[in-house]
Short mmCIF file of all heavy atoms in Angstrom, two decimals:
data_model
loop_
_atom_site.label_atom_id
_atom_site.label_comp_id
_atom_site.label_asym_id
_atom_site.label_seq_id
_atom_site.Cartn_x
_atom_site.Cartn_y
_atom_site.Cartn_z
N MET A 1 -16.90 20.65 -10.31
CA MET A 1 -16.04 19.68 -10.78
C MET A 1 -16.28 18.28 -10.18
O MET A 1 -16.39 18.24 -8.96
CB MET A 1 -14.57 20.13 -10.43
CG MET A 1 -13.53 19.04 -10.93
SD MET A 1 -11.77 19.63 -10.69
CE MET A 1 -11.70 21.02 -11.65
N LYS A 2 -16.29 17.26 -10.79
CA LYS A 2 -16.59 15.94 -10.35
C LYS A 2 -15.26 15.37 -9.87
O LYS A 2 -14.33 15.43 -10.53
CB LYS A 2 -17.22 15.08 -11.47
CG LYS A 2 -18.54 15.43 -11.97
CD LYS A 2 -19.56 14.97 -10.99
CE LYS A 2 -20.94 15.22 -11.50
NZ LYS A 2 -22.00 14.83 -10.59
N ASP A 3 -15.41 14.70 -8.64
CA ASP A 3 -14.29 13.86 -8.12
C ASP A 3 -14.52 12.56 -8.30
O ASP A 3 -15.40 11.95 -7.79
CB ASP A 3 -14.23 14.16 -6.68
CG ASP A 3 -13.00 13.46 -5.99
OD1 ASP A 3 -11.88 13.47 -6.63
OD2 ASP A 3 -13.20 12.82 -4.98
N ILE A 4 -13.70 11.92 -9.22
CA ILE A 4 -13.85 10.42 -9.50
C ILE A 4 -12.56 9.64 -9.13
O ILE A 4 -11.50 10.12 -9.44
CB ILE A 4 -14.02 10.43 -11.03
CG1 ILE A 4 -15.32 11.17 -11.52
CG2 ILE A 4 -14.26 8.79 -11.54
CD1 ILE A 4 -15.44 11.24 -13.02
N LYS A 5 -12.95 8.45 -8.56
CA LYS A 5 -11.81 7.61 -8.21
C LYS A 5 -12.19 6.24 -8.87
O LYS A 5 -13.28 5.74 -8.91
CB LYS A 5 -11.76 7.39 -6.73
CG LYS A 5 -11.50 8.54 -5.84
CD LYS A 5 -11.51 8.16 -4.38
CE LYS A 5 -11.01 9.23 -3.51
NZ LYS A 5 -11.56 10.55 -3.73
N VAL A 6 -11.13 5.62 -9.53
CA VAL A 6 -11.20 4.30 -9.99
C VAL A 6 -10.53 3.41 -9.06
O VAL A 6 -9.33 3.56 -8.84
CB VAL A 6 -10.59 4.11 -11.38
CG1 VAL A 6 -10.58 2.87 -11.83
CG2 VAL A 6 -11.34 5.14 -12.43
N LEU A 7 -11.25 2.39 -8.49
CA LEU A 7 -10.69 1.46 -7.66
C LEU A 7 -10.21 0.29 -8.25
O LEU A 7 -11.01 -0.38 -8.96
CB LEU A 7 -11.77 1.16 -6.48
CG LEU A 7 -12.67 2.30 -5.90
CD1 LEU A 7 -13.72 1.69 -5.02
CD2 LEU A 7 -11.67 3.22 -5.09
N GLY A 8 -9.12 -0.12 -8.07
CA GLY A 8 -8.52 -1.48 -8.63
C GLY A 8 -7.06 -1.53 -8.43
O GLY A 8 -6.40 -0.59 -8.27
N THR A 9 -6.54 -2.80 -8.56
CA THR A 9 -5.18 -3.16 -8.39
C THR A 9 -4.16 -2.88 -9.50
O THR A 9 -3.18 -3.33 -9.39
CB THR A 9 -5.04 -4.44 -7.81
OG1 THR A 9 -5.55 -5.43 -8.63
CG2 THR A 9 -5.75 -4.62 -6.43
N GLY A 10 -4.63 -2.38 -10.58
CA GLY A 10 -3.84 -2.11 -11.77
C GLY A 10 -4.01 -3.08 -12.84
O GLY A 10 -3.23 -3.07 -13.75
N CYS A 11 -5.14 -3.80 -12.91
CA CYS A 11 -5.46 -4.70 -14.05
C CYS A 11 -5.63 -3.96 -15.31
O CYS A 11 -5.95 -2.72 -15.38
CB CYS A 11 -6.54 -5.66 -13.69
SG CYS A 11 -8.19 -4.84 -13.54
N ALA A 12 -5.75 -4.64 -16.40
CA ALA A 12 -6.03 -4.05 -17.72
C ALA A 12 -7.45 -3.25 -17.69
O ALA A 12 -7.53 -2.24 -18.21
CB ALA A 12 -5.98 -5.01 -18.78
N ASN A 13 -8.49 -3.91 -17.22
CA ASN A 13 -9.77 -3.41 -16.97
C ASN A 13 -9.79 -2.02 -16.24
O ASN A 13 -10.50 -1.09 -16.67
CB ASN A 13 -10.75 -4.35 -16.41
CG ASN A 13 -11.26 -5.40 -17.33
OD1 ASN A 13 -10.85 -5.40 -18.49
ND2 ASN A 13 -11.91 -6.36 -16.85
N CYS A 14 -8.99 -2.07 -15.27
CA CYS A 14 -8.85 -0.71 -14.42
C CYS A 14 -8.18 0.36 -15.23
O CYS A 14 -8.68 1.41 -15.26
CB CYS A 14 -8.07 -1.13 -13.13
SG CYS A 14 -8.79 -2.20 -12.07
N ARG A 15 -7.16 0.06 -15.91
CA ARG A 15 -6.46 1.03 -16.82
C ARG A 15 -7.41 1.55 -17.90
O ARG A 15 -7.46 2.74 -18.18
CB ARG A 15 -5.20 0.50 -17.40
CG ARG A 15 -4.04 0.28 -16.30
CD ARG A 15 -2.79 -0.01 -16.84
NE ARG A 15 -2.73 -1.31 -17.68
CZ ARG A 15 -2.59 -2.50 -17.25
NH1 ARG A 15 -2.30 -2.79 -15.95
NH2 ARG A 15 -2.63 -3.48 -18.10
N ASN A 16 -8.15 0.52 -18.44
CA ASN A 16 -9.05 0.98 -19.55
C ASN A 16 -10.15 1.86 -19.13
O ASN A 16 -10.59 2.68 -19.73
CB ASN A 16 -9.72 -0.29 -20.25
CG ASN A 16 -8.53 -0.96 -21.10
OD1 ASN A 16 -7.58 -0.49 -21.53
ND2 ASN A 16 -8.82 -2.31 -21.33
N THR A 17 -10.69 1.51 -17.88
CA THR A 17 -11.72 2.42 -17.31
C THR A 17 -11.27 3.76 -17.05
O THR A 17 -12.04 4.77 -17.39
CB THR A 17 -12.20 1.71 -15.87
OG1 THR A 17 -12.66 0.42 -16.23
CG2 THR A 17 -13.29 2.50 -15.17
N VAL A 18 -10.08 3.92 -16.55
CA VAL A 18 -9.43 5.25 -16.46
C VAL A 18 -9.41 6.02 -17.72
O VAL A 18 -9.94 7.24 -17.72
CB VAL A 18 -8.07 5.21 -15.78
CG1 VAL A 18 -7.36 6.61 -15.85
CG2 VAL A 18 -8.08 4.75 -14.28
N LYS A 19 -9.01 5.37 -18.73
CA LYS A 19 -8.77 5.97 -20.02
C LYS A 19 -10.12 6.39 -20.60
O LYS A 19 -10.27 7.56 -21.16
CB LYS A 19 -8.16 4.96 -20.91
CG LYS A 19 -7.78 5.48 -22.34
CD LYS A 19 -7.01 4.45 -23.13
CE LYS A 19 -6.83 4.94 -24.52
NZ LYS A 19 -7.29 3.95 -25.58
N LEU A 20 -11.09 5.50 -20.45
CA LEU A 20 -12.46 5.71 -20.97
C LEU A 20 -13.13 6.91 -20.29
O LEU A 20 -13.80 7.80 -20.91
CB LEU A 20 -13.24 4.42 -20.81
CG LEU A 20 -14.59 4.34 -21.70
CD1 LEU A 20 -14.21 4.55 -23.19
CD2 LEU A 20 -15.22 2.99 -21.36
N ILE A 21 -13.04 7.03 -19.02
CA ILE A 21 -13.46 8.22 -18.27
C ILE A 21 -12.87 9.35 -18.75
O ILE A 21 -13.62 10.41 -18.87
CB ILE A 21 -13.35 7.88 -16.64
CG1 ILE A 21 -14.23 6.83 -16.31
CG2 ILE A 21 -13.71 9.28 -15.86
CD1 ILE A 21 -14.09 6.29 -14.82
N GLU A 22 -11.56 9.40 -18.94
CA GLU A 22 -10.95 10.68 -19.24
C GLU A 22 -11.46 11.10 -20.73
O GLU A 22 -11.66 12.26 -20.98
CB GLU A 22 -9.38 10.42 -19.40
CG GLU A 22 -8.68 10.34 -18.14
CD GLU A 22 -7.30 9.82 -18.23
OE1 GLU A 22 -6.84 9.24 -19.28
OE2 GLU A 22 -6.43 10.11 -17.33
N GLU A 23 -11.67 10.08 -21.59
CA GLU A 23 -12.16 10.33 -22.92
C GLU A 23 -13.49 10.98 -22.96
O GLU A 23 -13.82 12.01 -23.63
CB GLU A 23 -12.18 9.03 -23.80
CG GLU A 23 -10.72 8.60 -24.22
CD GLU A 23 -10.80 7.21 -24.92
OE1 GLU A 23 -11.85 6.71 -25.19
OE2 GLU A 23 -9.61 6.75 -25.14
N VAL A 24 -14.37 10.29 -22.20
CA VAL A 24 -15.81 10.85 -22.04
C VAL A 24 -15.87 12.12 -21.49
O VAL A 24 -16.53 13.02 -21.96
CB VAL A 24 -16.66 9.81 -21.35
CG1 VAL A 24 -18.07 10.38 -21.16
CG2 VAL A 24 -16.69 8.46 -22.11
N ALA A 25 -15.16 12.44 -20.49
CA ALA A 25 -15.14 13.80 -19.80
C ALA A 25 -14.54 14.88 -20.80
O ALA A 25 -15.25 15.90 -20.91
CB ALA A 25 -14.20 13.74 -18.51
N ALA A 26 -13.53 14.52 -21.50
CA ALA A 26 -12.99 15.43 -22.48
C ALA A 26 -14.01 15.73 -23.64
O ALA A 26 -14.27 16.81 -23.98
CB ALA A 26 -11.72 14.91 -23.22
N GLU A 27 -14.77 14.63 -24.01
CA GLU A 27 -15.69 14.87 -25.11
C GLU A 27 -16.83 15.75 -24.69
O GLU A 27 -17.36 16.49 -25.48
CB GLU A 27 -16.33 13.45 -25.64
CG GLU A 27 -15.39 12.59 -26.46
CD GLU A 27 -15.78 11.16 -26.49
OE1 GLU A 27 -17.02 10.90 -26.10
OE2 GLU A 27 -15.10 10.34 -27.00
N LYS A 28 -17.26 15.52 -23.45
CA LYS A 28 -18.40 16.25 -23.02
C LYS A 28 -17.94 17.70 -22.42
O LYS A 28 -18.77 18.50 -22.08
CB LYS A 28 -19.08 15.65 -21.74
CG LYS A 28 -19.87 14.36 -22.27
CD LYS A 28 -20.41 13.66 -21.10
CE LYS A 28 -21.57 14.37 -20.42
NZ LYS A 28 -22.96 14.36 -21.13
N GLY A 29 -16.66 17.96 -22.31
CA GLY A 29 -16.05 19.27 -21.75
C GLY A 29 -16.32 19.39 -20.27
O GLY A 29 -16.48 20.51 -19.79
N VAL A 30 -16.36 18.26 -19.50
CA VAL A 30 -16.57 18.22 -18.12
C VAL A 30 -15.30 18.18 -17.41
O VAL A 30 -14.52 17.33 -17.58
CB VAL A 30 -17.54 17.06 -17.62
CG1 VAL A 30 -17.70 17.08 -16.19
CG2 VAL A 30 -18.91 17.08 -18.34
N ALA A 31 -15.11 19.17 -16.43
CA ALA A 31 -13.83 19.21 -15.60
C ALA A 31 -14.01 18.05 -14.46
O ALA A 31 -15.01 18.01 -13.81
CB ALA A 31 -13.66 20.54 -15.06
N ILE A 32 -13.06 17.17 -14.37
CA ILE A 32 -13.04 16.20 -13.34
C ILE A 32 -11.61 16.04 -12.75
O ILE A 32 -10.67 16.53 -13.30
CB ILE A 32 -13.38 14.72 -13.97
CG1 ILE A 32 -12.24 14.42 -14.97
CG2 ILE A 32 -14.73 14.77 -14.61
CD1 ILE A 32 -12.38 12.98 -15.47
N THR A 33 -11.58 15.63 -11.46
CA THR A 33 -10.34 15.22 -10.86
C THR A 33 -10.45 13.66 -10.83
O THR A 33 -11.50 13.07 -10.29
CB THR A 33 -10.24 15.82 -9.45
OG1 THR A 33 -11.24 15.39 -8.66
CG2 THR A 33 -10.07 17.25 -9.46
N LEU A 34 -9.46 12.96 -11.42
CA LEU A 34 -9.57 11.57 -11.59
C LEU A 34 -8.41 11.07 -10.87
O LEU A 34 -7.30 11.39 -11.19
CB LEU A 34 -9.42 11.11 -13.10
CG LEU A 34 -9.58 9.62 -13.39
CD1 LEU A 34 -10.86 9.14 -12.89
CD2 LEU A 34 -9.56 9.54 -14.96
N SER A 35 -8.60 9.99 -9.90
CA SER A 35 -7.58 9.44 -9.28
C SER A 35 -7.72 7.93 -9.19
O SER A 35 -8.82 7.43 -9.44
CB SER A 35 -7.35 9.94 -7.81
OG SER A 35 -8.61 9.73 -7.08
N LYS A 36 -6.72 7.21 -9.12
CA LYS A 36 -6.71 5.73 -9.07
C LYS A 36 -6.34 5.24 -7.67
O LYS A 36 -5.31 5.78 -7.12
CB LYS A 36 -5.56 5.22 -10.12
CG LYS A 36 -5.49 3.73 -10.27
CD LYS A 36 -6.35 3.35 -11.47
CE LYS A 36 -6.19 1.93 -11.74
NZ LYS A 36 -6.29 0.95 -10.79
N VAL A 37 -7.16 4.38 -7.17
CA VAL A 37 -6.95 3.84 -5.77
C VAL A 37 -6.59 2.44 -5.95
O VAL A 37 -7.30 1.52 -6.45
CB VAL A 37 -8.18 3.99 -4.91
CG1 VAL A 37 -7.86 3.32 -3.57
CG2 VAL A 37 -8.63 5.49 -4.78
N GLU A 38 -5.30 2.03 -5.54
CA GLU A 38 -4.79 0.59 -5.81
C GLU A 38 -4.52 0.01 -4.53
O GLU A 38 -4.28 -1.16 -4.51
CB GLU A 38 -3.49 0.70 -6.65
CG GLU A 38 -3.65 1.13 -7.96
CD GLU A 38 -2.38 1.11 -9.00
OE1 GLU A 38 -1.46 0.85 -8.35
OE2 GLU A 38 -2.64 1.33 -10.16
N ASP A 39 -4.68 0.64 -3.33
CA ASP A 39 -4.36 0.13 -2.09
C ASP A 39 -5.73 -0.75 -1.67
O ASP A 39 -6.83 -0.17 -1.44
CB ASP A 39 -4.28 1.22 -1.02
CG ASP A 39 -3.96 0.69 0.29
OD1 ASP A 39 -2.97 -0.19 0.51
OD2 ASP A 39 -4.59 1.09 1.27
N LEU A 40 -5.41 -2.12 -1.47
CA LEU A 40 -6.56 -2.97 -1.18
C LEU A 40 -7.41 -2.57 -0.04
O LEU A 40 -8.62 -2.67 -0.04
CB LEU A 40 -6.11 -4.38 -1.16
CG LEU A 40 -7.01 -5.50 -1.47
CD1 LEU A 40 -7.83 -5.21 -2.68
CD2 LEU A 40 -6.40 -6.96 -1.52
N PRO A 41 -6.73 -2.29 1.15
CA PRO A 41 -7.50 -1.98 2.35
C PRO A 41 -8.42 -0.64 2.05
O PRO A 41 -9.51 -0.56 2.47
CB PRO A 41 -6.45 -1.68 3.32
CG PRO A 41 -5.35 -2.42 2.99
CD PRO A 41 -5.35 -2.41 1.53
N GLU A 42 -7.88 0.24 1.28
CA GLU A 42 -8.64 1.53 0.86
C GLU A 42 -9.84 1.01 -0.04
O GLU A 42 -11.00 1.65 0.12
CB GLU A 42 -7.76 2.51 0.19
CG GLU A 42 -8.36 3.87 -0.09
CD GLU A 42 -8.52 4.67 1.09
OE1 GLU A 42 -7.98 4.46 2.16
OE2 GLU A 42 -9.53 5.43 1.05
N ILE A 43 -9.68 0.24 -0.91
CA ILE A 43 -10.76 -0.28 -1.86
C ILE A 43 -11.76 -0.93 -0.98
O ILE A 43 -13.03 -0.69 -1.27
CB ILE A 43 -10.11 -1.28 -3.00
CG1 ILE A 43 -9.32 -0.48 -3.93
CG2 ILE A 43 -11.35 -1.87 -3.67
CD1 ILE A 43 -8.56 -1.43 -4.81
N MET A 44 -11.45 -1.69 -0.05
CA MET A 44 -12.32 -2.42 0.84
C MET A 44 -13.14 -1.40 1.61
O MET A 44 -14.34 -1.78 1.89
CB MET A 44 -11.62 -3.43 1.76
CG MET A 44 -10.83 -4.40 0.98
SD MET A 44 -11.86 -5.45 -0.02
CE MET A 44 -12.69 -6.51 1.25
N LYS A 45 -12.71 -0.31 1.92
CA LYS A 45 -13.49 0.71 2.71
C LYS A 45 -14.74 1.08 1.98
O LYS A 45 -15.79 1.45 2.62
CB LYS A 45 -12.61 1.85 2.97
CG LYS A 45 -11.54 1.62 4.13
CD LYS A 45 -10.74 3.05 4.19
CE LYS A 45 -9.68 2.75 5.16
NZ LYS A 45 -8.88 4.02 5.32
N TYR A 46 -14.63 1.01 0.62
CA TYR A 46 -15.75 1.41 -0.15
C TYR A 46 -16.78 0.14 -0.34
O TYR A 46 -17.81 0.32 -0.97
CB TYR A 46 -15.34 1.82 -1.52
CG TYR A 46 -14.74 3.16 -1.47
CD1 TYR A 46 -13.38 3.33 -1.55
CD2 TYR A 46 -15.50 4.37 -1.46
CE1 TYR A 46 -12.69 4.56 -1.47
CE2 TYR A 46 -15.01 5.63 -1.52
CZ TYR A 46 -13.55 5.76 -1.57
OH TYR A 46 -13.02 7.09 -1.50
N GLY A 47 -16.42 -0.95 0.08
CA GLY A 47 -17.27 -2.17 0.07
C GLY A 47 -17.24 -2.77 -1.38
O GLY A 47 -18.22 -3.60 -1.75
N VAL A 48 -16.29 -2.49 -2.18
CA VAL A 48 -16.18 -2.94 -3.62
C VAL A 48 -15.49 -4.25 -3.52
O VAL A 48 -14.33 -4.45 -3.12
CB VAL A 48 -15.40 -1.97 -4.46
CG1 VAL A 48 -15.20 -2.56 -5.81
CG2 VAL A 48 -16.38 -0.72 -4.61
N MET A 49 -16.10 -5.34 -3.99
CA MET A 49 -15.49 -6.68 -3.95
C MET A 49 -15.00 -7.09 -5.34
O MET A 49 -14.14 -7.93 -5.51
CB MET A 49 -16.48 -7.70 -3.48
CG MET A 49 -17.04 -7.39 -2.18
SD MET A 49 -15.79 -7.41 -0.90
CE MET A 49 -15.32 -9.04 -0.68
N SER A 50 -15.45 -6.48 -6.51
CA SER A 50 -15.02 -6.82 -7.78
C SER A 50 -14.63 -5.47 -8.40
O SER A 50 -15.32 -4.48 -8.42
CB SER A 50 -16.03 -7.61 -8.60
OG SER A 50 -17.09 -6.85 -8.77
N THR A 51 -13.38 -5.50 -8.99
CA THR A 51 -12.83 -4.27 -9.67
C THR A 51 -13.06 -4.41 -11.24
O THR A 51 -13.10 -5.45 -11.65
CB THR A 51 -11.45 -4.05 -9.33
OG1 THR A 51 -10.69 -5.22 -9.64
CG2 THR A 51 -11.25 -3.83 -7.84
N PRO A 52 -12.95 -3.31 -11.91
CA PRO A 52 -12.74 -1.98 -11.32
C PRO A 52 -14.10 -1.44 -10.61
O PRO A 52 -15.17 -1.72 -11.07
CB PRO A 52 -12.44 -1.04 -12.56
CG PRO A 52 -12.91 -1.87 -13.72
CD PRO A 52 -12.96 -3.20 -13.32
N GLY A 53 -13.84 -0.54 -9.63
CA GLY A 53 -14.86 0.21 -9.02
C GLY A 53 -14.75 1.65 -9.36
O GLY A 53 -13.73 1.99 -9.69
N VAL A 54 -15.91 2.22 -9.53
CA VAL A 54 -15.82 3.74 -9.75
C VAL A 54 -16.58 4.45 -8.66
O VAL A 54 -17.77 4.07 -8.39
CB VAL A 54 -16.44 4.04 -11.10
CG1 VAL A 54 -16.43 5.49 -11.23
CG2 VAL A 54 -15.72 3.25 -12.16
N VAL A 55 -16.04 5.52 -8.11
CA VAL A 55 -16.55 6.30 -7.03
C VAL A 55 -16.68 7.71 -7.68
O VAL A 55 -15.65 8.30 -8.10
CB VAL A 55 -15.72 6.39 -5.78
CG1 VAL A 55 -16.36 7.24 -4.65
CG2 VAL A 55 -15.60 4.83 -5.26
N VAL A 56 -17.86 8.30 -7.67
CA VAL A 56 -18.12 9.65 -8.03
C VAL A 56 -18.64 10.54 -6.90
O VAL A 56 -19.70 10.11 -6.27
CB VAL A 56 -19.22 9.77 -9.19
CG1 VAL A 56 -19.41 11.12 -9.67
CG2 VAL A 56 -18.62 8.93 -10.42
N ASP A 57 -17.82 11.53 -6.54
CA ASP A 57 -18.24 12.48 -5.58
C ASP A 57 -18.56 11.61 -4.07
O ASP A 57 -19.44 11.87 -3.38
CB ASP A 57 -19.39 13.27 -5.83
CG ASP A 57 -19.11 14.30 -6.91
OD1 ASP A 57 -17.76 14.63 -7.01
OD2 ASP A 57 -19.99 14.74 -7.58
N GLY A 58 -17.68 10.59 -3.89
CA GLY A 58 -17.80 9.83 -2.63
C GLY A 58 -18.86 8.70 -2.66
O GLY A 58 -18.94 7.95 -1.70
N LYS A 59 -19.46 8.45 -3.84
CA LYS A 59 -20.58 7.48 -3.86
C LYS A 59 -20.06 6.40 -4.90
O LYS A 59 -19.76 6.68 -6.00
CB LYS A 59 -21.89 8.06 -4.22
CG LYS A 59 -23.04 7.08 -4.33
CD LYS A 59 -24.27 7.69 -4.74
CE LYS A 59 -25.30 6.64 -5.04
NZ LYS A 59 -26.42 7.03 -5.96
N VAL A 60 -20.26 5.14 -4.52
CA VAL A 60 -19.81 4.04 -5.44
C VAL A 60 -20.99 4.02 -6.45
O VAL A 60 -22.11 3.74 -6.10
CB VAL A 60 -19.68 2.55 -4.68
CG1 VAL A 60 -19.47 1.51 -5.75
CG2 VAL A 60 -18.63 2.68 -3.70
N VAL A 61 -20.61 3.99 -7.75
CA VAL A 61 -21.57 4.08 -8.82
C VAL A 61 -21.43 2.86 -9.67
O VAL A 61 -22.31 2.58 -10.52
CB VAL A 61 -21.48 5.43 -9.64
CG1 VAL A 61 -21.98 6.51 -8.90
CG2 VAL A 61 -20.14 5.53 -10.28
N HIS A 62 -20.29 2.04 -9.58
CA HIS A 62 -20.03 0.94 -10.48
C HIS A 62 -19.06 -0.06 -9.81
O HIS A 62 -18.20 0.40 -9.10
CB HIS A 62 -19.44 1.54 -11.79
CG HIS A 62 -19.13 0.46 -12.72
ND1 HIS A 62 -20.21 -0.21 -13.51
CD2 HIS A 62 -17.99 -0.28 -13.08
CE1 HIS A 62 -19.63 -1.17 -14.28
NE2 HIS A 62 -18.27 -1.25 -14.07
N ALA A 63 -19.31 -1.26 -10.02
CA ALA A 63 -18.30 -2.30 -9.58
C ALA A 63 -18.23 -3.47 -10.58
O ALA A 63 -19.25 -3.99 -10.96
CB ALA A 63 -18.49 -2.71 -8.23
N GLY A 64 -17.04 -3.86 -10.97
CA GLY A 64 -16.93 -5.18 -11.76
C GLY A 64 -17.15 -4.85 -13.25
O GLY A 64 -18.24 -4.46 -13.59
N GLY A 65 -16.12 -4.93 -13.98
CA GLY A 65 -16.18 -4.70 -15.43
C GLY A 65 -15.99 -3.33 -15.81
O GLY A 65 -16.06 -2.42 -15.09
N ILE A 66 -15.75 -3.13 -17.12
CA ILE A 66 -15.60 -1.81 -17.68
C ILE A 66 -16.87 -1.09 -17.87
O ILE A 66 -17.72 -1.75 -18.78
CB ILE A 66 -14.76 -1.80 -18.98
CG1 ILE A 66 -13.39 -2.53 -18.69
CG2 ILE A 66 -14.62 -0.43 -19.64
CD1 ILE A 66 -12.57 -2.73 -20.08
N PRO A 67 -17.32 -0.01 -17.35
CA PRO A 67 -18.60 0.67 -17.72
C PRO A 67 -18.54 1.09 -19.20
O PRO A 67 -17.52 1.44 -19.67
CB PRO A 67 -18.62 1.83 -16.75
CG PRO A 67 -17.18 2.08 -16.36
CD PRO A 67 -16.35 0.79 -16.51
N ASP A 68 -19.84 1.10 -19.68
CA ASP A 68 -19.84 1.62 -20.99
C ASP A 68 -19.98 3.14 -21.05
O ASP A 68 -20.08 3.84 -20.13
CB ASP A 68 -21.07 0.96 -21.80
CG ASP A 68 -22.44 1.33 -21.23
OD1 ASP A 68 -22.61 2.50 -20.61
OD2 ASP A 68 -23.37 0.46 -21.33
N ARG A 69 -19.65 3.78 -22.27
CA ARG A 69 -19.63 5.29 -22.36
C ARG A 69 -20.93 5.92 -22.00
O ARG A 69 -20.90 6.89 -21.39
CB ARG A 69 -19.41 5.46 -23.84
CG ARG A 69 -18.03 5.03 -24.44
CD ARG A 69 -17.75 5.46 -25.84
NE ARG A 69 -17.20 6.64 -26.08
CZ ARG A 69 -15.84 6.92 -25.90
NH1 ARG A 69 -15.12 5.95 -25.65
NH2 ARG A 69 -15.41 8.15 -26.12
N ALA A 70 -22.10 5.30 -22.20
CA ALA A 70 -23.35 5.85 -21.90
C ALA A 70 -23.50 5.98 -20.29
O ALA A 70 -23.90 7.03 -19.68
CB ALA A 70 -24.52 5.09 -22.40
N LYS A 71 -23.02 4.92 -19.65
CA LYS A 71 -23.05 4.93 -18.13
C LYS A 71 -22.13 5.92 -17.56
O LYS A 71 -22.45 6.73 -16.70
CB LYS A 71 -22.68 3.59 -17.74
CG LYS A 71 -22.99 3.33 -16.26
CD LYS A 71 -22.83 1.86 -15.78
CE LYS A 71 -23.32 1.68 -14.39
NZ LYS A 71 -23.16 0.28 -14.01
N ILE A 72 -20.89 6.11 -18.17
CA ILE A 72 -19.93 7.08 -17.73
C ILE A 72 -20.46 8.47 -17.99
O ILE A 72 -20.49 9.31 -17.18
CB ILE A 72 -18.68 6.90 -18.42
CG1 ILE A 72 -17.99 5.66 -18.09
CG2 ILE A 72 -17.65 8.09 -18.06
CD1 ILE A 72 -16.67 5.22 -18.72
N SER A 73 -21.14 8.60 -19.07
CA SER A 73 -21.70 9.97 -19.50
C SER A 73 -22.81 10.36 -18.40
O SER A 73 -22.94 11.51 -18.15
CB SER A 73 -22.32 9.83 -20.92
OG SER A 73 -22.71 11.11 -21.28
N SER A 74 -23.59 9.38 -18.03
CA SER A 74 -24.59 9.74 -17.06
C SER A 74 -24.16 10.12 -15.70
O SER A 74 -24.79 10.87 -14.95
CB SER A 74 -25.58 8.52 -16.81
OG SER A 74 -24.93 7.50 -16.11
N TRP A 75 -22.80 9.64 -15.30
CA TRP A 75 -22.23 10.15 -14.13
C TRP A 75 -21.80 11.64 -14.13
O TRP A 75 -21.63 12.26 -13.10
CB TRP A 75 -20.96 9.29 -13.66
CG TRP A 75 -21.27 7.86 -13.65
CD1 TRP A 75 -22.49 7.37 -13.25
CD2 TRP A 75 -20.47 6.83 -13.86
NE1 TRP A 75 -22.33 5.85 -13.24
CE2 TRP A 75 -21.08 5.62 -13.60
CE3 TRP A 75 -19.05 6.68 -14.17
CZ2 TRP A 75 -20.42 4.36 -13.83
CZ3 TRP A 75 -18.55 5.46 -14.36
CH2 TRP A 75 -19.10 4.33 -14.08
N LEU A 76 -21.47 12.14 -15.39
CA LEU A 76 -20.87 13.39 -15.49
C LEU A 76 -22.04 14.44 -15.69
O LEU A 76 -21.79 15.56 -15.57
CB LEU A 76 -19.92 13.39 -16.73
CG LEU A 76 -18.78 12.43 -16.73
CD1 LEU A 76 -18.04 12.45 -17.99
CD2 LEU A 76 -17.95 12.60 -15.51
#
């Protein structure tokens, strides 16, 4: 099971990223745990300066802007 965190303060892009990850995981039949990190000091611990950021299994894989479906699919 993939552990995925979306880093962001709650902007529309962050919410859309969460929704898109859920959709792609469901389409691929991949089990994930998805959490949202909105605490700024916690986000800074990952070194992400532009949101949304995405962390998969403890590794930052994306920062800034909504990732496309192909990119999300490659993480899964």
Side-chain angles (χ1 to χ4, degrees):
M1 180 177 295
K2 294 281 185 181
D3 178 46
I4 301 175
K5 293 178 174 54
V6 175
L7 314 176
T9 55
C11 66
N13 282 351
C14 299
R15 290 190 302 272
N16 288 337
T17 298
V18 169
K19 184 176 173 229
L20 201 54
I21 291 170
E22 288 172 337
E23 287 174 3
V24 173
E27 287 168 8
K28 291 181 67 78
V30 175
I32 63 169
T33 56
L34 183 60
S35 57
K36 183 92 170 53
V37 179
E38 295 185 350
D39 182 53
L40 205 48
E42 187 68 23
I43 292 170
M44 297 301 285
K45 287 180 187 176
Y46 288 99
V48 171
M49 300 303 285
S50 62
T51 58
V54 180
V55 177
V56 178
D57 294 334
K59 181 180 175 212
V60 176
V61 295
H62 180 80
I66 301 172
D68 62 31
R69 294 178 93 77
K71 191 169 190 181
I72 293 170
S73 185
S74 74
W75 302 333
L76 305 177

